[in-house]
Amino acid sequence: MSILLSSTVEESFHNKLPFNDSVFLPMENVIQNYPWGSKSSLTDLFDIENPNGEPQAEMWMGSHPNGCSIISVNGVKQGLASVISSNPSAMLGERAIAQSAGLPFLFKVLCAEKALSIQVHPSKQRAQLGFEQEERNGTPLNASNRNYKDPNHKPELVYALTPYTAMNGFRSIAKIIQLFEQLGSKALKSLVDDLAKSPNPHGLSTFFKQLLSLDGEEKNSAIHDLMMFVENGESSLSSLIGELTRQYPNDIGLFAPLILNVLTLEPGEAMYLDAETPHAYIKGTGLEIMANSDNVLRAGLTNKHMDVEELASNTRFVETPFDSLLLRPHYDQGALNYAVPVADFKFSILISPRERQMKVESAEILFAIDAPVYLQHQNGEMCCIEKGRSVFIPALSEIYNITSIGRIARAYY
């Protein structure tokens, strides 16, 4: 089914856009070559070449200045951010303009061969306050000890494309105590005893801060005890800590699997990572969508700056029930819609749509997961994106049709 407009309507439509030759804007996306990335995942899944054999960690789809996508406008390649800024109303819609200064989300393919750092992202209020304070202090944006790179929060959703192992949220305090008692470290006995006496958020906060602040002989002794626990254990937890030890020897974050929930998403499963919640991606490839922010406070498995006090002040010390971690989608007419408690982004998976009519209420990015995707706009324009590629669709597009024999990820707001 296609919907054709008169030439007058078509001309009026294009006159409102900051360009006049296309509604569908295929994207050329930046690949970030971080050391923890996979050398083969993008090639295996999407036939994306890696001629230099580099670790390809993240493919960014969006307008973030650290990795802005390129689109072709009237035959000229331009950064998506500059095209958006030329006519924000047509590109983003009035709602996005009221909420933010640009595209409110960043969409990624994330390929982890090694574990990422344990992280906490601040709430929007704390990010605004922290950013303003560091600006007043004159701390350079690129300073290694800078905590707040922007005044925004960074909630995230991850959708697994392969088995995807991660840590997310605190275990129950009773379970944390049990695991550390099994560890039996003399160096940590007083910390564990204190937590057992105060099994509440305050006690967990104190335990967490003191553990991350261990130094010198105390830290060395505690990690030695942890290594003995790993060598003598045969559980999946011991195996995980052993693998992390090979990646980050003598790092205080090696205790994280005893404190945080550990789970492996199967392909097609998703989870949400809220602000002020410690988490880490360990291994796997997935789609990740987040608010357009770069604010990260680290808690281990890293050589980068750690500010324990600031980290703790941005952390909610509450238990996260394991059975609450998976994000269950709502199925609606061939689409899996994942509800998140923020206005910065929405995420859906379209399953083999056949000439499905889509109504545009915001700017969108579509990513072809399994097979080519065919698009037709109501003015008759057509576009095809291959597997592993993406297309930007402006807010003013209003209606288009979509067809594919595979899954399509839809990022919007």
Side-chain angles (χ1 to χ4, degrees):
M1 177 180 65
S2 62
I3 303 173
L4 301 180
L5 299 183
S6 68
S7 59
T8 302
V9 174
E10 181 179 344
E11 181 180 355
S12 174
F13 175 84
H14 283 299
N15 286 341
K16 294 179 181 178
L17 291 170
F19 44 85
N20 58 28
D21 69 344
S22 184
V23 174
F24 303 121
L25 301 170
M27 306 168 74
E28 296 179 23
N29 300 310
V30 172
I31 295 176
Q32 308 284 11
N33 303 117
Y34 305 142
W36 48 262
S38 170
K39 295 180 181 180
S40 61
S41 189
L42 288 180
T43 301
D44 293 344
L45 291 174
F46 306 120
D47 302 321
I48 294 174
E49 296 182 355
N50 186 10
N52 299 322
E54 296 179 284
Q56 296 177 312
E58 297 180 345
M59 184 169 72
W60 287 24
M61 297 172 278
S63 59
H64 196 285
N66 292 341
C68 184
S69 298
I70 302 297
I71 59 176
S72 180
V73 177
N74 300 329
V76 178
K77 291 185 177 182
Q78 299 185 37
L80 178 59
S82 65
V83 179
I84 288 173
S85 65
S86 67
N87 193 335
S89 178
M91 294 293 285
L92 300 181
E94 298 298 335
R95 183 161 55 89
I97 295 172
Q99 292 175 352
S100 67
L103 186 67
F105 64 81
L106 176 61
F107 194 22
K108 299 179 181 180
V109 181
L110 186 147
C111 312
E113 185 65 28
K114 299 179 181 179
L116 284 68
S117 61
I118 305 161
Q119 304 178 2
V120 170
H121 305 306
S123 67
K124 194 158 191 173
Q125 181 180 19
R126 288 300 304 263
Q128 291 170 341
L129 293 173
F131 179 78
E132 291 168 1
Q133 182 63 54
E134 289 187 327
E135 288 290 280
R136 286 195 297 269
N137 293 343
T139 308
L141 273 175
N142 60 354
S144 62
N145 64 335
R146 177 101 187 199
N147 289 317
Y148 302 93
K149 302 296 180 66
D150 53 67
N152 201 13
H153 63 169
K154 192 183 175 185
E156 302 172 354
L157 178 150
V158 61
Y159 174 87
L161 298 174
T162 70
Y164 196 94
T165 302
M167 294 184 280
N168 186 1
F170 288 107
R171 295 179 182 271
S172 71
I173 294 176
K175 186 63 176 179
I176 295 172
I177 294 169
Q178 177 190 348
L179 290 172
F180 274 88
E181 286 179 343
Q182 290 175 5
L183 170 61
S185 172
K186 292 181 179 179
L188 299 177
K189 187 176 187 308
S190 62
L191 274 66
V192 178
D193 288 346
D194 288 345
L195 179 58
K197 294 174 184 176
S198 301
N200 51 47
H202 176 73
L204 181 58
S205 171
T206 301
F207 175 83
F208 191 66
K209 288 189 292 184
Q210 291 180 345
L211 180 67
L212 294 184
S213 300
L214 287 177
D215 200 6
E217 184 55 37
E218 275 190 321
K219 176 185 174 183
N220 292 337
S221 178
I223 290 180
H224 175 268
D225 294 337
L226 182 64
M227 295 304 97
M228 295 301 296
F229 174 77
V230 170
E231 289 179 14
N232 296 328
E234 298 180 355
S235 67
S236 60
L237 198 56
S238 297
S239 298
L240 171 58
I241 297 173
E243 176 60 29
L244 294 176
T245 301
R246 289 184 283 274
Q247 298 176 22
Y248 299 95
N250 209 45
D251 191 292
I252 200 65
L254 296 173
F255 290 98
L258 304 180
I259 302 172
L260 306 180
N261 292 304
V262 179
L263 75 161
T264 297
L265 301 176
E266 295 302 322
E269 292 183 331
M271 69 177 178
Y272 176 72
L273 301 104
D274 206 354
E276 302 179 313
T277 302
H279 62 273
Y281 299 145
I282 297 172
K283 188 171 184 177
T285 297
L287 299 176
E288 185 185 29
I289 183 170
M290 64 194 68
N292 197 22
S293 171
D294 197 26
N295 284 324
V296 175
L297 296 157
R298 294 178 175 84
L301 302 183
T302 181
N303 295 319
K304 295 183 179 180
H305 172 64
M306 281 177 53
D307 185 335
V308 174
E309 286 299 324
E310 195 67 20
L311 167 76
S313 70
N314 281 277
T315 301
R316 286 184 288 118
F317 290 94
V318 296
E319 303 172 351
T320 302
F322 188 85
D323 60 6
S324 71
L325 293 175
L326 286 185
L327 189 59
R328 309 288 183 183
H330 171 67
Y331 182 82
D332 180 27
Q333 299 181 357
L336 300 173
N337 301 317
Y338 293 84
V340 295
V342 294
D344 305 77
F345 61 82
K346 295 178 182 178
F347 181 78
S348 297
I349 296 291
L350 307 179
I351 304 172
S352 303
R354 182 170 178 80
E355 295 188 348
R356 173 170 175 159
Q357 188 177 98
M358 306 295 296
K359 183 178 180 181
V360 178
E361 296 181 350
S362 71
E364 301 184 358
I365 294 175
L366 301 179
F367 178 82
I369 299 176
D370 304 310
V373 174
Y374 302 92
L375 305 171
Q376 182 170 6
H377 188 255
Q378 58 180 340
N379 66 13
E381 179 186 336
M382 302 178 72
C383 175
C384 173
I385 55 170
E386 298 295 329
K387 179 179 69 172
R389 273 62 179 181
S390 60
V391 60
F392 183 89
I393 301 177
L396 195 64
S397 299
E398 295 182 347
I399 295 174
Y400 65 90
N401 291 340
I402 186 167
T403 297
S404 179
I405 62 172
R407 293 171 298 166
I408 304 133
R410 184 188 187 203
Y412 55 118
Y413 48 89

